[in-house]
């Protein structure tokens, strides 16, 4: 069974969308192997998104991801990484497919409701980042 890291981001938590998003996760037959709410600290956000450190939106992204609590979760199923990315939709909600979480709940290219690991290599770093046990 493959594992991937999901984050319900601050915009979605503020809008009380966590329940709806978790329902969609269960509807697609993921198992939730771990789940917790936390407030990401600035140094953690910088480390988590370090591949984007040189991008012009990096500081805004760190500010946004630390702007309020998030829910981090480990999702488990066959093809979890790809299936969760498909359920999330494209980075920019305006370009996301109908019925995806980002299309339905994302505000803009930054505040786009959810995160998901983009490859097995990334998942193997991101899952223990928040779930070291
Ligand atoms: P993802 O894998 O679909 O989340 O997309 P990326 O890895 O490319 O970007 C990481 C996160 O940075 C996105 O989910 C957005 O929250 C944010 N982001 C990406 N592109 C932009 C951008 O052009 N502007 C801003 N402000 N934020 C962005």
């Amino acid at each position: 069974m493959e594992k991937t890291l999901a984050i319900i981001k601050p915009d979605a938590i503020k809008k009380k969308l966590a329940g709806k998003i978790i329902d969609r996760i269960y509807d697609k037959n993921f198992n939730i192997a771990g789940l917790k709410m936390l407030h990401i600290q600035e140094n953690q956000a910088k480390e988590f998104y370090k591949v984007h450190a040189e991008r012009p939106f990096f500081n805004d992204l760190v500010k946004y991801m630390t702007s309020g609590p998030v829910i981090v979760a480990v999702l488990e199923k066959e093809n979890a990484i790809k299936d969760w990315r498909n359920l999330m939709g494209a980075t920019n909600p305006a370009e996301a497919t109908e019925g995806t979480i980002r299309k339905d709940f994302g505000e803009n290219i930054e505040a786009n409701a959810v995160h998901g690991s983009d490859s097995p290599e990334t998942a193997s770093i991101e899952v223990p980042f928040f779930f070291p046990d």
Side-chain angles (χ1 to χ4, degrees), residues 3-7 9 36 38 40 44-45 47-52 65 72-75 81 84-85 88 114-133:
K3 288 185 171 67
T4 191
L5 183 82
I7 306 179
K9 293 183 175 184
K36 57 191 176 187
L38 53 90
I40 297 178
Q44 275 183 306
E47 175 64 23
F48 187 79
Y49 280 118
K50 67 182 176 193
V51 293
H52 295 310
M65 288 301 289
V72 293
V74 180
L75 309 186
I81 295 168
W84 173 232
R85 294 287 304 190
M88 285 167 47
V114 285
H115 168 85
S117 308
D118 64 4
S119 68
E121 295 70 35
T122 314
S124 72
I125 296 167
E126 291 185 351
V127 169
F129 187 91
F130 286 111
F131 295 89
D133 306 334

Side-chain angles (χ1 to χ4, degrees), residues 9 49 52 57 61 64 85 91 102 109-110 112 115-116:
K9 293 183 175 184
Y49 280 118
H52 295 310
F57 59 82
L61 175 59
Y64 156 61
R85 294 287 304 190
T91 307
R102 282 171 163 173
I109 194 166
E110 179 178 270
N112 56 7
H115 168 85

Side-chain angles (χ1 to χ4, degrees), residues 68-83:
V70 300
I71 288 174
V72 293
V74 180
L75 309 186
E76 198 177 52
K77 78 194 283 282
E78 272 178 40
N79 298 316
I81 295 168
K82 205 157 172 281
D83 286 359

Side-chain angles (χ1 to χ4, degrees), residues 14-15 24 43 58 63 82-83 95 97 102 119-120:
K14 281 192 186 107
K15 286 155 60 182
R24 290 190 185 204
N43 60 337
F58 182 68
K63 208 184 264 179
K82 205 157 172 281
D83 286 359
E95 291 166 9
T97 304
R102 282 171 163 173
S119 68

Side-chain angles (χ1 to χ4, degrees), residues 3-45:
K3 288 185 171 67
T4 191
L5 183 82
I7 306 179
I8 304 177
K9 293 183 175 184
D11 57 305
I13 299 292
K14 281 192 186 107
K15 286 155 60 182
K16 299 186 165 34
L17 292 168
K20 288 193 171 121
I21 292 171
I22 291 168
D23 273 347
R24 290 190 185 204
I25 289 169
Y26 279 136
D27 285 347
K28 291 287 181 187
N29 293 319
F30 288 90
N31 182 41
I32 298 181
L35 181 139
K36 57 191 176 187
M37 181 178 261
L38 53 90
H39 198 132
I40 297 178
Q41 299 303 305
E42 187 182 331
N43 60 337
Q44 275 183 306

